[in-house]
Structures are given as C-alpha cells and as structure tokens.
Amino acid sequence: MDYVPVEVKLHILSYLSERDLSQVLLISKHWHLLALDPVLWGKLLPDSSTTDSDLLKVLQKRSLISHFKYNSSKITEGGLSQLLVQFGSTLRYLDLDSCDELSSDLISLLVEHCPNLSYLDLSANPFIDDVTMCQLAACQSLTTLRIRNCDTVTDLGLGMLASQVRLVNLDAGCLLYVRRPTIDALLETSSCILQTLVLDGANLNDVDLMELGKFANLRSLELQFCDEFTDQGFIGLKDLFYLRSLKLSRCFNLSNLCLGAIISNI
C-alpha cells in the first residue's frame, strides 16, 4: 500500500463508518494521519433508532458535516432544521429518501443554508411537488437530483428547475406527468453534461425518445413503461456513443434488430 496515492487511500477510507475509522487510527502513524482527514469525518449516517437528541449530541461535537443520509431514522423536522442551519454551508450530499418530516419550511431552510449542495435525494415523498421544484431552482450548485416516486411533480415544476440548474444526473422515475417540456428544458441547459437520466415513458412518444439522442454525453439511461415506443424512436439512441448502461421496461414494440443496433454502441 506504500505506493498507492494518498487520494486513493482517502477514497477507500471514505467508505468506512466512524467506528471503523477509529480502528484505522490505531494501525500506524501513517494511517493515523490519513484517518484524521476532516473530510472522512464529514459523513453523518444515522440508523433507524437515531433521535433528535442523538443528532444534537453529534452536532455539538462536529466541526464539519458534508454528507447526511436520513436512513429511516426517528429524526424530526426540528432536528433536520438544526442540521441545515448549523452545517448547511458544508453540506454537499443530502439524502432524504422516504423522509416523512419534509415541509415547505424545511425546503426553504435547505435553499437558504445549503449553497454548496451538489447531491439531493427527495425520492418517495408525497410532499414534494412543483412548488418544491421551483424553490430548488435556486440551488445553483446542484448536479444530482433524485425525485423518483414523487407523484405530484409535473413538467411545470421540474421543467422550471431543469431550465435554471445544470444537472448531471436526474432520476425522475415513476413520474407520470413529466413529459416533453422537461426534456426540452434539460436540452437547453444540460445537453452536453447530463450523464444519467431516469424517466417514466408512459406519456412519451417516439419523437420524444429521439430527442434523448441529443444528450451527447449520456452514460446511463433508464426508461420505464415504454409501451408506446417503437423502433423509430429507439433508433435515435444509436448516436449516444458514450452510453454504457441502458435499462428498459415494457418495450414490447422494440425489435431484436433495433435492440442489437443500440447495444452494439454500448
């Protein structure tokens, strides 16, 4: 390991929990110094039993929090508000998947106190709607947004956000009301940088599908409920030269010949 670059070692250590990092501190002087890097202690990953009281105790001891994942914990809106106010400026990664404590006030705090946030997961939350998307349009550092199963989000909100924020990764899976306007907004701002895209294809057609072929640097594409797509639409994907992952569901009208042409580029 002596010849492994420090950056690589830190990347490996970034996958460890605080308990494991504490053990690394005891290995040697070299690993002790590496494990003390502030970035490694910036992750906060509560478990299902973590309460507001537990969170506040941790916040009092920390000088930096860059990653937070809700993890179906017992932390309430009050605890999350404290986190955002105290450490919003250092937060880069925020995962609130299936968090029942979200509210308009919490989103407002997020927008106000988290100017450097680049990753945001709000999946599976019935509170998230077009108003939320318009609020998040102010988060100019945002590059990854996951809103899978946020059923009330439509083109009106997501299109607004996509026209204001240059997204690199967007997961809008299982959103029935996201259609062509969102694709057009993404093409306007993110056509050259979008790398990952997940969309519900239920309300899209072949012409819409062909537009996806204009995302020149797309690496991963997932399309759900592709019942209405035919070879005419799918052939537009053959020019996605950087595509390395293609996941399709219910694409009953796609021929083997067309599929083979697409796969040959992956």
Side-chain angles (χ1 to χ4, degrees):
M1 292 290 285
D2 292 340
Y3 299 100
V4 178
V6 171
E7 294 79 6
V8 175
K9 292 178 181 178
L10 288 174
H11 181 71
I12 294 172
L13 292 178
S14 70
Y15 291 96
L16 301 182
S17 65
E18 290 188 6
R19 179 178 299 177
D20 292 333
L21 282 173
S22 298
Q23 296 299 312
V24 174
L25 291 170
L26 304 176
I27 295 176
S28 67
K29 183 177 180 180
H30 173 72
W31 284 100
H32 182 89
L33 293 173
L34 281 176
L36 284 178
D37 192 297
V39 174
L40 298 176
W41 298 88
K43 292 185 177 181
L44 184 54
L45 308 174
D47 57 34
S48 59
S49 64
T50 304
T51 64
D52 283 350
S53 178
D54 299 324
L55 176 64
L56 293 177
K57 289 178 182 178
V58 174
L59 296 184
Q60 291 172 358
K61 299 177 182 178
R62 292 291 187 91
S63 60
L64 168 74
I65 293 179
S66 59
H67 288 57
F68 178 83
K69 187 172 183 178
Y70 184 70
N71 276 342
S72 300
S73 64
K74 296 179 180 179
I75 299 172
T76 69
E77 181 179 349
L80 292 172
S81 297
Q82 182 64 38
L83 169 70
L84 296 179
V85 171
Q86 187 172 343
F87 289 102
S89 62
T90 62
L91 271 176
R92 302 291 190 277
Y93 179 107
L94 184 58
D95 186 343
L96 299 175
D97 185 356
S98 304
C99 175
D100 296 330
E101 297 296 322
L102 287 182
S103 67
S104 58
D105 290 339
L106 199 63
I107 295 298
S108 296
L109 284 177
L110 187 157
V111 173
E112 179 182 357
H113 293 281
C114 303
N116 301 307
L117 193 67
S118 61
Y119 180 103
L120 179 61
D121 190 342
L122 299 173
S123 298
N125 195 298
F127 167 78
I128 302 302
D129 57 13
D130 287 339
V131 174
T132 310
M133 294 297 102
C134 292
Q135 288 178 282
L136 293 176
C139 297
Q140 293 298 300
S141 295
L142 198 63
T143 58
T144 298
L145 177 64
R146 301 189 74 248
I147 49 172
R148 185 184 291 249
N149 291 311
C150 294
D151 302 333
T152 56
V153 174
T154 73
D155 279 326
L156 182 63
L158 186 54
M160 168 64 76
L161 183 146
S163 68
Q164 301 294 322
V165 180
R166 291 169 57 82
L167 292 172
V168 177
N169 307 290
L170 173 62
D171 183 346
C174 300
L175 302 189
L176 294 176
Y177 303 107
V178 172
R179 305 182 180 92
R180 179 64 176 273
T182 294
I183 296 176
D184 290 340
L186 285 169
L187 282 171
E188 182 179 346
T189 59
S190 306
S191 61
C192 295
I193 63 173
L194 193 70
Q195 296 185 11
T196 304
L197 180 62
V198 181
L199 288 176
D200 189 316
N203 289 302
L204 300 176
N205 55 40
D206 280 340
V207 176
D208 301 326
L209 183 58
M210 292 177 70
E211 288 295 294
L212 299 183
K214 296 180 180 179
F215 291 106
N217 289 300
L218 201 63
R219 265 68 167 174
S220 176
L221 176 62
E222 178 181 342
L223 296 172
Q224 305 159 340
F225 307 105
C226 305
D227 304 59
E228 301 301 319
F229 297 151
T230 68
D231 285 359
Q232 182 179 357
F234 278 113
I235 204 65
L237 303 181
K238 65 180 179 61
D239 294 328
L240 294 175
F241 297 112
Y242 295 103
L243 193 66
R244 293 296 176 266
S245 174
L246 178 63
K247 185 176 181 180
L248 306 171
S249 66
R250 298 180 55 165
C251 48
F252 305 122
N253 298 316
L254 175 62
S255 70
N256 291 333
L257 182 63
C258 183
L259 180 61
I262 298 172
I263 292 178
S264 64
N265 287 329
I266 299 179

